[in-house]
Amino acid sequence: MSHSWFRNIFLIILLYSFIGAGFCCIAEVNIQEKASSEDLTLAPPEIQDTNQSWPLANKDYSNTRDQQETDISSESVGKFNLSWTYPITGHSAFGSAATTPIITNNTVYFQDLAGNIIALNQQTGTPLWTNNYNSSTILGPNGPAIGYGKVFISPDVYSLSALDMKDGTERWSVHLSPSNSTGINIQPIVFDKKVYVATVPGTSANDFYAGGQFGELYALDEETGAIIWNTSTIDTPDLWGNKSVNSGGGAWYSPGIDTRTGITYWGIGNPAPIPGTPDYPAGLSRPGPNLYTDSIMAVDGKSGEIVWYNQVKPHDLFDLDFQISPILASIPDSTDESKTRDVVFGAGKLGKVYSFDRKDGSIIWNTSVGIHNGNADLSTIPEGETIQVLPGFFGGVETPMAYTDGILFVPVVNFASNYSSTGMDTGSFDLSSGTGELVALDASNGTELWKKEYPSMNLGGATIASDIVFTATYDGTIYAYKIKTGDLVLKYKAPSGINGWPAIGKKSIIWPAGAASNPVLFSLSLPIS
């Protein structure tokens, strides 16, 4: 079966693709120690002023998805009411919403999977302005970023645009796809007068990871859109010896930013072809580890220089990206509990969670989550055989994790895929067989604290409010648990299926439900006292 046919099947079923310590390298760049709290001195004024709302894709630059400045808690969540819904009219072959909204100054900014952007009143859901692009190329995850009076979005897979926050009019737009061969499928992030964004190989299911393409990381001037630097996520321009066949890399999710050092941390995608072609079965066209795919990369935010990287899945045959937004934290030092150690957590479709030392990328611990059958670790596939890989193409950690108070919350998908040495058997896909989990890990050592299991795939990420953690499944069921014990405090049926993740304000949680018919953005709110 051809790689393009496999990607077309992927489109039809309306899901998006989003890993083993392998190769680690440290560049000659000095990193200073970081304190436990973020320094917002270089953040845009909108983020400095509204850091108690939800001004960034994952709440803060550390990507914790932890909202403590809220009235939502285990005691109050039972008082939730559906305060408003807003219909999502734009959609692509991947549904209508695969993103998180932004909340600032009583305004919600939301982008659908057709690239359309809307600003709404947070209390009422009343539209303030819209700017419709009606793109048919966006794969997701996407979404807005704010800063310096502007809203930054990708109106299509080729461009990044800056809109006026007041009325949505376009101030500038820059084309970032050489020969229209790479696509932007990431929610940007803004810091120190730069907009950070990335590309992945391909611009549609038909040319996804086609030969000769590779993803890049970018920093743009927020005022003009001029490229300040761009850094390849592939270690060699000849694509490991066969540019006509090989491709890979890129970033799907927002980076973490150490606001004291300016170092950015990125989760990097897979190499291709997956797993091979008739002429080059089981990855023979790309011998070696295929750096920097399936890695975490630490990149200097001012220069674009690679500080360090650690590849957790060398020579990936099964599209097991290490794509989730890295989470920055400070945890007690195991050798001296009076001190803390700066770490970065990463995860992806391999179904493993890693803790790295933030200074040099060395692995502190790694923990498997979800169901594994061991085949994801294979380095080849015998010709003529078909093997089942679990976690498979839609498996592992697909959507953002969350962190608070020494606990890491991991949303998991259990889904198997059948592979031969030259392709994947998409005819064996049975979405009803996909299940989900939410796993709470001790951030100091990776041990499991508690776990919840679901009959539907967990594609709703993890999000914290006070003493509870939210998640949601593809069938549109929202769950909330006490973070320490895992006790269920809320189970709510959303208006539609969910493969997006929420933003939390003072009294409301705003969630996109765009994975099925009748897609909406909706708000669950506490009573206004």
Side-chain angles (χ1 to χ4, degrees), residues 337-384:
E337 292 189 357
S338 67
K339 298 180 181 179
T340 59
R341 188 177 189 180
D342 291 338
V343 301
V344 52
F345 304 114
K349 291 169 59 177
L350 184 61
K352 293 182 180 180
V353 183
Y354 286 78
S355 175
F356 305 92
D357 189 294
R358 210 185 308 166
K359 290 187 295 185
D360 59 14
S362 58
I363 294 174
I364 300 170
W365 56 257
N366 73 87
T367 296
S368 294
V369 291
I371 303 173
H372 292 247
N373 68 359
N375 284 344
D377 296 326
L378 293 176
S379 59
T380 190
I381 305 171
E383 188 173 352

Side-chain angles (χ1 to χ4, degrees), residues 465-508:
S466 300
D467 63 337
I468 56 178
V469 57
F470 290 90
T471 196
T473 50
Y474 191 62
D475 63 4
T477 306
I478 294 172
Y479 302 85
Y481 305 95
K482 290 185 178 181
I483 61 174
K484 298 293 186 181
T485 64
D487 293 340
L488 181 69
V489 295
L490 177 73
K491 184 177 181 181
Y492 180 86
K493 192 68 173 179
S496 188
I498 290 177
N499 63 343
W501 31 100
I504 297 178
K506 184 67 174 175
K507 290 182 175 293
S508 62

Side-chain angles (χ1 to χ4, degrees), residues 89-137:
T89 56
H91 60 275
S92 73
F94 293 87
S96 297
T99 184
T100 190
I102 296 295
I103 306 174
T104 180
N105 293 328
N106 198 36
T107 302
V108 177
Y109 298 93
F110 170 74
Q111 187 184 31
D112 63 30
L113 277 174
N116 305 320
I117 176 77
I118 186 165
L120 305 136
N121 180 281
Q122 181 182 355
Q123 266 77 47
T124 65
T126 304
L128 305 175
W129 57 257
T130 61
N131 195 327
N132 293 329
Y133 292 90
N134 294 317
S135 172
S136 61
T137 58

